[in-house]
Each structure stands twice: as structure tokens, then as C-alpha cells.
């Protein structure tokens, strides 16, 4: 299925923030950027290669992967941005769990909440990366 220009733009923003975190962020931001980029790739693979009726459990597992990865990073590097990102990722996991367990069809509300949540995680990662970059610059 061809991707819409809107989806291509969203993916460009996601991978730009992840790349910024990897290049300019500290160790926590680098790891979080890699985890989020891998999760995004996984989600896109699920959407493109798995039948729609089987996607729910795999999307839930992918959110579990990202949340678990963020938890491991948070255990090593404590920071406010990472705590906020983990809370948002936990919400996203519960959103997927709700739709998976109830068997509800993924509708516009699901898409809106999912996209707002992903944007919040990206914003947290971007803020954390900018802070780490500025701290490193101030130390020189």
C-alpha cells in the first residue's frame, strides 16, 4: 500500500528527532532515540505486512518493547524528560491494551490519542536532547 505524503512527513519528523537525539544528545537520549526509531520501524512493518485483524497484539508488544527499553534507560540515567516519556509510553501501552482486550475497532479517537502520545514522547526526547547538547556546550 502506498504511503500518503502526510505519513511520510510524520515519519520524517520522527526519524529527524531520533537522529537529533542520537547525534546531539547524551547517552540516555542516544539510547532512547535508537529505541524509539526501532519501535517506529517495527510499527510500520506491522502495519504494512500483517493483516489488520492480527495487528493489535503485535502493536501492544511493540509498545511493550519501547516502554521496557525506556525503563532500562531510566534505571541507568534518571532524568525528568525520561520520566515524562515513560509516563506517556505507559499511556500508549494502556491505549493499545484497551483496544486489544475489548476488541474495539481502532477508530479516529484511537488514532488521535496514539498520535498525540507519540508526539509527546518525541517532544520529551527533543527537550532532553537539547538540554544535554547545551550542557555539553557549556562545559567546553
Amino acid at each position: 500500500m502506498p504511503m500518503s505524503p502526510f505519513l511520510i512527513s510524520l515519519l520524517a519528523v520522527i526519524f529527524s528527532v531520533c537522529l537529533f537525539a542520537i547525534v546531539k544528545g547524551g547517552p540516555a537520549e542516544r539510547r532512547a532515540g535508537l529505541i524509539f526509531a526501532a519501535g517506529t520501524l517495527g510499527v510500520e512493518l506491522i502495519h504494512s505486512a500483517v493483516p489488520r485483524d492480527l495487528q493489535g497484539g503485535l502493536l501492544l508488544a511493540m509498545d511493550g518493547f519501547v516502554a521496557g527499553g525506556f525503563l532500562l534507560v531510566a534505571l541507568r540515567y534518571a532524568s525528568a524528560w525520561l520520566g515524562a516519556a515513560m509516563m506517556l509510553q505507559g499511556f500508549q501501552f494502556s491505549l493499545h491494551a484497551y483496544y486489544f482486550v475489548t476488541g474495539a475497532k481502532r477508530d479516529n479517537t484511537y488514532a488521535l490519542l496514539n498520535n498525540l502520545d507519540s508526539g509527546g514522547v518525541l517532544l520529551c526526547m527533543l527537550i532532553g536532547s537539547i538540554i544535554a547538547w547545551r550542557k555539553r556546550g557549556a562545559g567546553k
Side-chain angles (χ1 to χ4, degrees):
M1 171 179 1
M3 286 205 266
S4 71
F6 180 72
L7 179 59
I8 292 170
S9 299
L10 283 178
L11 290 173
V13 168
I14 290 169
F15 288 115
S16 295
V17 171
C18 290
L19 182 63
F20 181 78
I22 292 166
V23 172
K24 297 293 185 181
E29 293 79 18
R30 287 187 196 108
R31 287 175 173 85
L34 288 170
I35 291 165
F36 200 81
T40 301
L41 284 174
V43 165
E44 289 309 311
L45 285 172
I46 290 167
H47 283 302
S48 64
V50 176
R52 188 160 174 82
D53 57 334
L54 300 176
Q55 290 178 3
L58 293 173
L59 291 172
L60 182 62
M62 192 56 60
D63 277 338
F65 161 77
V66 175
F70 279 3
L71 176 61
L72 292 175
V73 173
L75 289 173
R76 175 70 175 96
Y77 308 97
S79 65
W81 77 264
L82 193 51
M86 283 182 54
M87 294 294 289
L88 288 167
Q89 194 60 40
F91 171 77
Q92 191 156 17
F93 183 81
S94 65
L95 176 70
H96 279 125
Y98 171 80
Y99 275 83
F100 179 69
V101 170
T102 62
K105 232 178 149 76
R106 292 185 304 246
D107 53 4
N108 287 337
T109 302
Y110 167 87
L112 177 67
L113 292 173
N114 187 44
N115 292 335
L116 285 174
D117 188 80
S118 293
V121 172
L122 283 173
L123 183 62
C124 290
M125 195 167 26
L126 180 63
I127 290 169
S129 299
I130 291 170
I131 290 170
W133 183 29
R134 290 183 55 118
K135 278 184 183 177
R136 203 171 41 252
K140 289 184 179 178

